[in-house]
């Protein structure tokens, strides 16, 4: 005897489905048990069976419907997989693609820095050999110093932003001719979002250069004058990138904290291991022009628009495949 007995009204509601064998096995067993002990309901069942020509759904039709349902479920799952792949392709391959590794940084520079062949200004053309000199990671940004071994001896800094996948998207670059065959120079790059400029010292090929004296032109709060300050740096590696933030410079130059409003490099003197001035030996006579250039990447708005479109299309398709006819 089942623990769950059905009332007569419930059984009579279930009788049409029970007669056509559409109820679940457990429900059918409970209806049958009730009918065996309830003459009035058994009479109703008999009347229904005598008055209806019961036609069971042919098994091939039921199998077809099951196959359709299974096909729709598979299509929905494949839609989810395809949508995830498209989102990954847009985010990882087309945008935040470059890891902070030696090969990743060089690939980013080689992909981003050269100007297109149809560009009217080509400080770095496609095919120019490029090298990575150093890098600095601060917060979600990665700054990569690079050098182009071309006629302009172009050096610059590439700014990259980290994504959710831990990889980086190139945001902007700033470049200018490097005045030495080997030595150090100052470079600046926009901090983005109207936050001013970031200031760096970049070294290239400083194998026989042991130190450098940098003369800064400094603007101070409450004054219209530019003051000269000098700092001497020991060179311990041939290629490098140093981030020179205002706090560090104020401390090195002995300037009261928070009073520096602007800085630029006026002169750099290079010294060998004996303390001799060797600047003239490394000056590059082929660099005659002074200029600064760069480029920036369009906002990521379109990337997120495409991702939303993919999600919307996938949701529409899944809803269609899982609809109940």
């Amino acid at each position: 005897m089942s623990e769950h007995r059905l009332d007569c009204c419930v059984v009579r509601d279930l009788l049409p489905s029970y007669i056509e064998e559409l109820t679940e096995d457990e429900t059918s067993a409970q209806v049958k048990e009730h009918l065996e002990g309830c003459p009035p309901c058994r009479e109703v069942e008999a009347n229904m069976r005598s008055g209806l020509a019961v036609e069971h759904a042919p098994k091939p039709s039921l199998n077809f419907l099951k196959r359709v349902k299974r096909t729709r479920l598979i299509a929905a799952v494949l839609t989810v997989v395809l949508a995830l792949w498209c989102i990954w392709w847009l985010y990882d391959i087309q945008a935040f693609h470059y890891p902070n590794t030696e090969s990743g940084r060089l690939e980013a520079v080689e992909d981003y820095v050269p100007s297109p062949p149809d560009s009217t200004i080509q400080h770095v053309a496609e095919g120019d050999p490029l090298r990575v000199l150093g890098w600095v990671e601060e917060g979600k940004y990665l700054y990569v110093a690079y050098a182009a071994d071309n006629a302009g001896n172009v050096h610059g800094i590439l700014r990259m932003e980290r994504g959710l996948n831990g990889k980086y998207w190139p945001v902007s670059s700033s470049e200018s001719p490097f005045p030495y065959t080997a030595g150090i120079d100052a470079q600046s790059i926009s901090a983005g979002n109207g936050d001013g400029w970031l200031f760096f010292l970049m070294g290239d090929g400083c194998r026989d250069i042991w130190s450098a004296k940098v003369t800064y032109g400094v603007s101070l709060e409450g004054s219209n004058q530019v003051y000269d300050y000098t700092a001497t740096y020991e060179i311990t590696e041939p290629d490098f990138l140093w981030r020179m933030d205002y706090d560090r410079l104020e401390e090195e130059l002995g300037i009261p904290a928070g009073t520096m409003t602007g800085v630029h490099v006026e002169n750099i003197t290079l010294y060998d291991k004996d303390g001799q001035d060797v600047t003239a030996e490394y000056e590059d006579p082929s660099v005659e022009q002074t200029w600064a250039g760069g480029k920036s990447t369009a906002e990521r708005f379109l990337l997120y628009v495409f991702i939303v479109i993919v999600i919307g299309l996938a949701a529409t398709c899944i809803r269609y495949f899982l609809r109940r006819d």
Side-chain angles (χ1 to χ4, degrees), residues 113 115 121-124 146 152-157 172-179 185-190 197-199 202 264 287-296:
V113 171
S115 301
I121 300 177
Q122 291 191 345
H123 297 142
V124 179
Y146 61 87
N153 199 17
V154 175
H155 287 53
I157 297 173
S172 63
S173 67
S174 178
E175 58 193 22
S176 61
F178 197 69
D185 194 20
Q187 286 275 355
S188 297
I189 188 168
S190 172
W197 292 80
L198 301 177
F199 186 66
M202 173 194 304
H264 65 274
V287 178
E288 299 178 352
Q289 296 180 336
T290 300
W291 51 265
K295 61 180 178 179
S296 60

Side-chain angles (χ1 to χ4, degrees), residues 60-133:
S61 299
L62 292 175
N63 291 337
F64 172 76
L65 293 175
K66 289 180 180 179
R67 286 198 299 271
V68 170
K69 184 177 181 180
R70 185 167 57 248
T71 301
R72 288 182 175 179
L73 181 60
I74 293 173
V77 172
L78 291 177
T79 299
V80 172
V81 172
L82 180 61
L84 292 175
W85 182 87
C86 289
I87 293 172
W88 172 81
W89 182 82
L90 286 169
Y91 195 89
D92 187 278
I93 302 300
Q94 297 299 310
F96 295 93
H97 172 64
Y98 304 98
N100 185 15
T101 61
E102 183 176 350
S103 59
R105 293 187 292 269
L106 179 59
E107 183 184 2
V109 169
E110 291 177 337
D111 288 346
Y112 188 83
V113 171
S115 301
D118 58 351
S119 176
T120 56
I121 300 177
Q122 291 191 345
H123 297 142
V124 179
E126 291 185 0
D128 287 349
L130 288 160
R131 297 177 287 115
V132 171
L133 303 177

Side-chain angles (χ1 to χ4, degrees), residues 72-279:
R72 288 182 175 179
L73 181 60
I74 293 173
V77 172
L78 291 177
T79 299
V80 172
V81 172
L82 180 61
L84 292 175
W85 182 87
C86 289
I87 293 172
W88 172 81
W89 182 82
L90 286 169
Y91 195 89
D92 187 278
I93 302 300
Q94 297 299 310
F96 295 93
H97 172 64
Y98 304 98
N100 185 15
T101 61
E102 183 176 350
S103 59
R105 293 187 292 269
L106 179 59
E107 183 184 2
V109 169
E110 291 177 337
D111 288 346
Y112 188 83
V113 171
S115 301
D118 58 351
S119 176
T120 56
I121 300 177
Q122 291 191 345
H123 297 142
V124 179
E126 291 185 0
D128 287 349
L130 288 160
R131 297 177 287 115
V132 171
L133 303 177
W135 56 277
V136 173
E137 188 174 22
E138 288 192 3
K140 65 178 181 178
Y141 291 105
L142 175 67
Y143 303 93
V144 181
Y146 61 87
D149 294 329
N150 57 11
N153 199 17
V154 175
H155 287 53
I157 297 173
L158 173 63
R159 181 167 69 100
M160 307 173 71
E161 183 177 347
R162 186 174 62 246
L164 298 175
N165 59 353
K167 297 180 182 179
Y168 289 83
W169 156 308
V171 176
S172 63
S173 67
S174 178
E175 58 193 22
S176 61
F178 197 69
Y180 307 108
T181 57
I184 71 172
D185 194 20
Q187 286 275 355
S188 297
I189 188 168
S190 172
N193 302 319
D195 293 333
W197 292 80
L198 301 177
F199 186 66
F200 294 85
L201 288 180
M202 173 194 304
D204 183 9
C206 301
R207 293 172 183 83
D208 296 319
I209 299 172
W210 290 63
S211 64
K213 183 175 70 175
V214 180
T215 301
Y216 296 99
V218 178
S219 301
L220 299 178
E221 186 176 9
S223 174
N224 294 325
Q225 283 187 276
V226 176
Y227 300 89
D228 287 347
Y229 288 86
T230 61
T232 300
Y233 302 97
E234 181 183 0
I235 309 299
T236 59
E237 50 191 339
D239 305 328
F240 58 84
L241 180 67
W242 295 340
R243 165 83 159 90
M244 310 297 289
D245 59 58
Y246 279 15
D247 291 342
R248 174 179 174 179
L249 281 173
E250 286 174 340
E251 181 179 353
E252 289 179 345
L253 302 178
I255 299 173
T259 61
M260 182 185 293
T261 59
V263 62
H264 65 274
V265 170
E266 293 189 343
N267 185 60
I268 296 177
T269 306
L270 308 176
Y271 297 96
D272 63 14
K273 64 179 180 179
D274 297 322
Q276 299 297 314
D277 183 348
V278 292
T279 308

